[in-house]
Amino acid sequence: MADSPKKIIIDTDPGIDDAMAIFLALQSPELEVLGLTTIFGNVYTTLSTKNALHLLEIAGRTDIPVAEGSHVTITNGTKLRVADFVHGNDGLGNQNFPPPNGKPIDQAAAVFLVEQANLYPGEVTLVALGPLTNIALLDSGFAKKIGKIIILGGAFFVNGNVNPAAEANIFGDPEAADMVFISGADVIVVGLNVTHQVVLTALFHKTILEADRDKLARSGGKFAKYLCQIMDIYFSYHKDSYEIKGVYLHDPATLIAAVDPSLFTYTEGVVRVQTTGISRGLTILYNKQKRFGEVSEWCDKPTVKVAITVDAPAVVKLVMDRLIDS
Ligand SMILES: O=c1[nH]cnc2c1ncn2[C@@H]1O[C@H](CO)[C@@H](O)[C@H]1O
């Protein structure tokens, strides 16, 4: 008998690549989406919630609940940095879609997460695609009850994307991220060192006939077409910032780690987050290759699994196939 699908909750800040990851999840028979929880990051939380509801309406999956998350960081910070220059003012490529008809459920994200983890102890995978505030709000009981947390965040041994030190999700709430990394939960972290290898190619000159973007546009896939409609700004941001003819698939690659973790390799160690100074948001992995003599902030802390390599062609193929076949 086939395994029953893996129950997942996606904590998200949609976001163009979040939209892609949400659609992918809905297209993956290996997964059952229990709900979406929202957070600030690419946009403010209120807009994340609207976008999550909108995307579920586009998908015809209004049966899936959306629980709104925190509007402030774990330290009550309100000066949030959102990435409208990456995703547009509306988070979805400046398309001015009509507001969604649906509403979030009455439960806050943190309450919904605890309820689902209690309902299915050890069985729920939380895929965290934004800053980690909602998860840091939960106590140690949650770390024990949740099956796995797969996090898009950090930059291990490479530069960040907010500045040379910090990746955007960790930079959004460094204190929260540090709490989650040492929470003792079964955590997998997928950082920029891996997601920057997973590129969806674009046609910018006529010699690349079979760019991924064109295959999506030419396909009849409902999700592929919708994504092509919203993705222009994401492509031009990558061209301007990185001079690449394509886009990084941060959120979709992380979602694929829930579908098939064997497409990645991992190293295990303690991860801490720098919370002060010019390197605020820096993720530091202690890989345990040396036993240090002095007691430090890395001693006796639970380890997490950090993705180190990825079968990028296989991940891109899975993403493409599932969006085209929709
Ligand atoms: O330069 C950037 N600043 C802020 N957010 C970014 C930037 N580039 C990409 N992302 C967004 O942050 C997550 C990965 O770090 C992804 O959700 C991506 O869309």
Side-chain angles (χ1 to χ4, degrees), residues 13 15-18 41-42 81-83 85-87 129-130 152-154 161-162 167-170 192 195-196 234 237-238 241-242 248 250-251:
D13 55 341
I16 293 167
D17 56 332
D18 297 73
N42 294 324
R81 176 189 185 277
V82 294
F85 55 95
V86 181
H87 301 274
L129 302 179
L152 163 65
N161 55 4
V162 172
E167 180 277 334
N169 286 346
I170 304 300
L192 298 185
T195 60
H196 278 184
Y234 202 45
Y237 158 75
H238 283 77
S241 303
Y242 296 97
Y248 296 132
H250 305 284
D251 295 346

Side-chain angles (χ1 to χ4, degrees), residues 88-102:
N89 290 328
D90 64 353
L92 297 173
N94 289 332
Q95 296 301 305
N96 295 314
F97 291 116
N101 296 315

